[in-house]
Amino acid sequence: PSGEQQTPALTGRGGEPAPAEPPRPRLRERYTFEHFVVGANNRLAFAASEGVASVHGRLYKSLFLYGAAGLGKTHLLQAIGHRTMDAGLKVIYISAEQFTNQIITAIQQRRQDDFRARYRSADVLLIDDIQFIVGKEQTQQEFFHTFNDLYEAGRQIVITSDKSPALIPHLEERLRTRFEWGMIADIQAPDLETRVADRKSTRLNSSHGYISY
């Protein structure tokens, strides 16, 4: 199907609609741990990601993955999503840009409480490209409080960025501090052997009907 699965409206107190459950994340089929090519450049990030997917909220409550575009951050983020959803956990996967857009909509509709309840009830929050919240004061404020609530509740938070927290320009200091509370792992450019293995893996996936991105 081309659209998101719709969640039926629920009724809360006084007949008001209750906060809608977020739709099940749409993850790419091949973005699993089994299809990730591990090399010296990404071994720590892979191990940390697999670890939090297996024992969410207990190994590292917060995992921050960073590296240049195209090196596998989104692949690992979605692999965590696949593994934790298979375990029956409530998973929210979203980009920082989508998170911002949802905040704007919630403010316009005066439904900030519903927005907060939805995100702060997640077992696992996966957010891609966090650097895009820089300069957006309301978004940074909401994410700060969401992060705090989930962290204190022992939930799992996984964040990706193109830079380490220390190097994201103009990021609020209180957010930078929070991001540094947990495990930080970088993904570097692959060596020749890993690039060759990755190309072989991509060809194999394509022959089995997977789409190469």
Side-chain angles (χ1 to χ4, degrees):
S2 57
E4 297 277 5
Q5 180 181 355
Q6 298 298 312
T7 304
L10 301 177
T11 302
R13 293 180 180 178
E16 292 294 325
E21 289 294 317
R24 181 180 174 88
R26 297 177 63 192
L27 306 177
R28 293 180 179 175
E29 185 179 358
R30 65 180 287 262
Y31 277 15
T32 63
F33 289 117
E34 291 74 20
H35 290 108
F36 190 83
V37 177
V38 182
N41 63 305
N42 57 29
R43 197 177 308 280
L44 176 61
F46 176 84
S49 297
E50 198 170 38
V52 301
S54 301
V55 288
H56 76 285
R58 299 197 300 275
L59 185 60
Y60 318 109
K61 293 180 186 178
S62 170
L63 172 61
F64 193 102
L65 304 173
Y66 73 94
L71 296 183
K73 301 185 302 294
T74 298
H75 187 142
L76 286 176
L77 197 64
Q78 293 198 16
I80 295 169
H82 280 294
R83 183 73 58 83
T84 50
M85 282 197 299
D86 287 347
L89 299 177
K90 179 180 178 182
V91 177
I92 296 180
Y93 168 84
I94 194 167
S95 70
E97 183 177 6
Q98 291 170 326
F99 187 82
T100 299
N101 291 339
Q102 289 187 14
I103 290 172
I104 293 170
T105 300
I107 292 172
Q108 290 172 340
Q109 297 178 355
R110 298 183 179 181
R111 298 184 68 87
Q112 293 100 311
D113 288 345
D114 291 349
F115 172 88
R116 291 164 187 154
R118 182 182 308 125
Y119 278 90
R120 297 175 195 183
S121 64
D123 295 313
V124 182
L125 175 60
L126 310 172
I127 185 158
D128 215 355
D129 291 324
I130 197 66
Q131 70 271 13
F132 288 117
I133 71 171
V134 168
K136 302 176 176 69
E137 183 178 350
Q138 188 70 39
T139 302
Q140 291 191 76
Q141 179 177 324
E142 286 293 344
F143 191 74
F144 172 78
H145 292 298
T146 297
F147 184 103
N148 281 348
D149 278 14
L150 293 176
Y151 192 94
E152 292 301 323
R155 311 290 174 78
Q156 184 65 59
I157 309 159
V158 187
I159 300 165
T160 72
S161 175
D162 61 349
K163 298 179 179 67
S164 70
L167 296 180
I168 300 176
H170 311 300
L171 180 68
E172 286 187 4
E173 189 59 33
R174 60 180 181 172
L175 275 176
R176 194 186 319 277
T177 300
R178 295 303 185 276
F179 295 164
E180 292 174 344
W181 274 358
M183 176 69 178
I184 300 175
D186 70 324
I187 303 178
Q188 301 177 1
D191 55 24
L192 176 61
E193 292 82 0
T194 305
R195 290 200 302 271
V196 171
D198 191 38
R199 283 197 292 268
K200 288 180 179 178
S201 175
T202 300
R203 287 197 297 269
L204 179 62
N205 290 336
S206 298
S207 71
H208 284 82
Y210 295 117
I211 297 174
S212 178
Y213 292 89

